């Protein structure tokens, strides 16, 4: 199997979930990930024990004129790289998980008549998957509404958003101290980081009752870590959390963005959350995700434009003093969770390969 794409955790981790499902089914399976040297896959996959090969490609949508020209120049080389990888590895199936690295691989697989499928994690698909839907054998989506954005007549199957089994298998491992998990996606979120630093002053009188686990991204790591240390908080601050399963298991409350993979993980393990959707997400899909959880009673939505350190601190203190409210949100969150998407995705791929 080749799993192509990545760039961010929202694309990569569903691919890892599918890889692990295949490894449960076939002990001798060979799995190769294909991405770029600039994506999150370059540092995550070696730690996960997966082999990665890279191709020469960069992003196009939302880039400046010169970067777009550079990307167009790289396209022939990315296709050459892709054909070489496919000829050498000879996969029975190619899975595109989104992100610009998936485009050349899935397109090349289609030309070589290798069974292939794309996975779209968001309600509104990205440009790469929209284009690939004209060439791919099947498209797997997380939401029914996504079907209308892909090509007419595309063989589209709703499977959900694949989640790594360990994310929800650990269950709850809460301690006596109120544990707050904060992250803004795989690259961090500057706004959330800065508002949390502002919130420290309002949380000082509660610091003996609170433990903080905070993924900052690289840029804000030192600033945030120093702020917690100076205020005397028990805070575990990291640029990137590799063991999210333990972080979720320890958390009483999560403060985070509302990307599709994050929402799927929250509901799979039944976590209460303050959701702060990224305001510039394509088609505002993060606000739609956050609003859905909020209306279901599984989380609280706070818009980026309304966020302040004082407001964030007030909501954290509210949940600290109202644990029964967290328990209610956890039950609602758990009821929304879908844990079988990776299995459905593996079934779909097996169906494409008649001799599996």
């Amino acid at each position: 199997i080749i799993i192509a794409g990545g760039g961010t955790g929202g694309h990569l981790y569903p691919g890892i979930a599918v890889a692990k499902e295949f490894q449960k089914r076939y002990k001798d399976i060979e799995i190769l990930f294909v991405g770029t040297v600039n994506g999150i896959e370059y540092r995550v996959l070696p730690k996960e024990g997966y082999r990665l090969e890279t191709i020469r490609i960069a992003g196009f949508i939302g880039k400046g004129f010169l970067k777009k020209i550079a990307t167009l120049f790289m396209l022939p080389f990315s296709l050459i790289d892709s054909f070489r990888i496919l000829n050498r590895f000879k996969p029975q199936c190619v899975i595109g998980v989104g992100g610009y690295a998936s485009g050349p691989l899935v397109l090349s697989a289609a030309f070589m008549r290798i069974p292939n499928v794309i996975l779209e994690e968001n309600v509104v698909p990205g440009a790469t998957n929209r284009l690939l839907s004209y060439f791919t054998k099947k498209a797997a989506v997380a939401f029914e509404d996504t079907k209308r954005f892909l090509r007419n007549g595309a063989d589209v199957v709703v499977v959900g958003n694949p989640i790594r089994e360990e994310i929800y298998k650990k269950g709850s491992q809460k301690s006596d101290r109120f544990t707050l998990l904060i992250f803004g996606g795989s690259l961090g979120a500057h706004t959330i980081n800065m508002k949390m630093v502002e919130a420290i002053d309002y949380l000082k009188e509660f610091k003996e009752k609170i433990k903080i686990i905070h993924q900052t991204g690289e840029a804000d790591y030192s600033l945030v870590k120093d702020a917690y240390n100076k205020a005397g908080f028990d805070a575990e601050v990291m640029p990137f959390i590799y063991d999210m399963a333990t972080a979720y298991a320890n958390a009483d409350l999560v403060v985070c963005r509302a990307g599709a993979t994050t929402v799927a993980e929250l509901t799979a393990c039944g976590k209460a959350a303050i959701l702060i959707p990224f305001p510039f997400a394509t088609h505002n899909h993060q606000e739609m995700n956050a609003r859905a959880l909020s209306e279901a009673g599984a989380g609280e939505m706070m818009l980026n434009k309304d966020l302040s350190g004082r407001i964030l601190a007030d909501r954290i203190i509210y949940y600290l003093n109202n644990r029964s409210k967290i328990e209610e949100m956890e039950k609602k969150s758990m009821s929304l969770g879908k844990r079988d998407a990776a299995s459905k995705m593996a079934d779909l791929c097996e169906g494409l390969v008649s001799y599996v």
Side-chain angles (χ1 to χ4, degrees):
I1 301 290
I2 283 182
I3 299 173
T8 66
H11 291 307
L12 178 64
Y13 282 112
I16 292 175
V18 175
K20 291 187 175 185
E21 176 63 27
F22 272 115
Q23 287 175 315
K24 282 171 57 180
R25 299 183 182 199
Y26 306 102
K27 291 183 180 179
D28 59 348
I29 192 169
E30 292 184 60
I31 297 173
L32 174 68
F33 281 80
V34 177
T36 72
V37 295
N38 297 315
I40 187 178
E41 61 270 17
Y42 196 73
R43 68 177 190 270
V44 169
L45 288 171
K47 292 180 181 292
E48 291 282 344
Y50 292 108
R51 180 180 158 201
L52 170 70
E53 292 200 22
T54 60
I55 61 174
R56 292 166 286 181
I57 192 63
F60 186 85
I61 302 299
K63 305 298 181 181
F65 177 74
L66 291 178
K67 287 191 174 180
K68 285 183 176 180
I69 294 297
T71 298
L72 289 173
F73 179 76
M74 280 191 278
L75 277 175
F77 298 99
S78 69
L79 290 170
I80 291 170
D81 293 341
S82 298
F83 279 115
R84 285 175 176 170
I85 290 170
L86 292 168
N87 276 318
R88 186 169 65 251
F89 193 71
K90 293 180 171 52
Q92 290 171 275
C93 186
V94 172
I95 304 169
V97 293
Y100 49 82
S102 68
L105 249 295
V106 176
L107 192 61
S108 300
F111 287 145
M112 295 175 68
R113 299 187 180 279
I114 297 170
N116 58 85
V117 58
I118 55 173
L119 171 65
E120 178 53 56
E121 300 88 358
N122 295 302
V123 174
V124 182
T128 300
N129 274 349
R130 287 195 197 202
L131 174 63
L132 290 175
S133 70
Y134 286 87
F135 301 94
T136 189
K137 295 283 186 183
K138 282 186 181 290
V141 298
F143 304 94
E144 186 73 29
D145 284 352
T146 308
K147 289 183 176 182
R148 63 190 176 94
F149 294 102
L150 300 175
R151 72 171 170 86
N152 292 333
D155 195 349
V156 183
V157 182
V158 179
V159 300
N161 206 329
I163 300 299
R164 292 164 288 160
E165 193 175 62
E166 65 266 25
I167 289 290
Y168 55 84
K169 280 280 188 172
K170 280 205 170 187
S172 178
Q173 297 179 1
K174 296 179 182 180
S175 67
D176 293 335
R177 299 184 76 179
F178 185 78
T179 300
L180 193 61
L181 171 61
I182 305 161
F183 63 94
S186 57
L187 303 178
H190 179 70
T191 299
I192 294 177
N193 291 340
M194 293 303 98
K195 298 307 177 186
M196 194 60 207
V197 168
E198 290 177 21
I200 287 173
D201 283 339
Y202 304 104
L203 293 170
K204 278 183 179 178
E205 65 177 287
F206 302 95
K207 66 183 179 183
E208 300 302 323
K209 298 180 180 180
I210 297 174
K211 175 179 172 58
I212 296 169
I213 304 169
H214 192 148
Q215 175 180 289
T216 61
E218 294 288 349
D220 295 332
Y221 168 69
S222 296
L223 186 155
V224 175
K225 185 176 177 64
D226 289 346
Y228 285 130
N229 287 342
K230 287 176 182 176
F233 275 82
D234 179 6
E236 190 176 351
V237 184
M238 294 157 280
F240 185 80
I241 299 173
Y242 289 97
D243 185 5
M244 279 300 294
T246 298
Y248 278 129
N250 291 340
D252 289 280
L253 179 67
V254 183
V255 177
C256 59
R257 292 298 195 194
T261 297
T262 296
V263 168
E265 290 179 349
L266 288 171
T267 55
C269 53
K271 286 297 166 181
I274 295 174
L275 297 152
I276 306 166
F278 179 55
F280 306 109
T282 306
H283 301 286
N284 204 27
H285 71 265
Q286 288 208 11
E287 184 174 332
M288 290 191 285
N289 293 341
R291 196 173 296 282
L293 261 64
S294 178
E295 290 176 354
E300 176 180 344
M301 181 176 74
M302 297 178 65
L303 295 180
N304 217 68
K305 64 183 177 66
D306 300 328
L307 189 62
S308 71
R310 178 60 182 267
I311 290 172
L312 183 56
D314 285 347
R315 300 313 295 161
I316 291 169
I317 293 167
Y318 170 79
Y319 289 112
L320 171 65
N321 293 325
N322 292 274
R323 305 294 182 94
S324 61
K325 180 61 177 176
I326 285 184
E327 290 174 4
E328 289 175 20
M329 292 168 71
E330 287 175 336
K331 289 176 182 177
K332 297 287 181 61
S333 178
M334 182 71 78
S335 72
L336 298 174
K338 296 178 181 178
R339 299 181 173 186
D340 60 352
S343 178
K344 288 181 178 179
M345 186 68 183
D347 291 344
L348 181 63
C349 294
E350 288 177 353
L352 289 174
V353 185
S354 59
Y355 46 88
V356 167

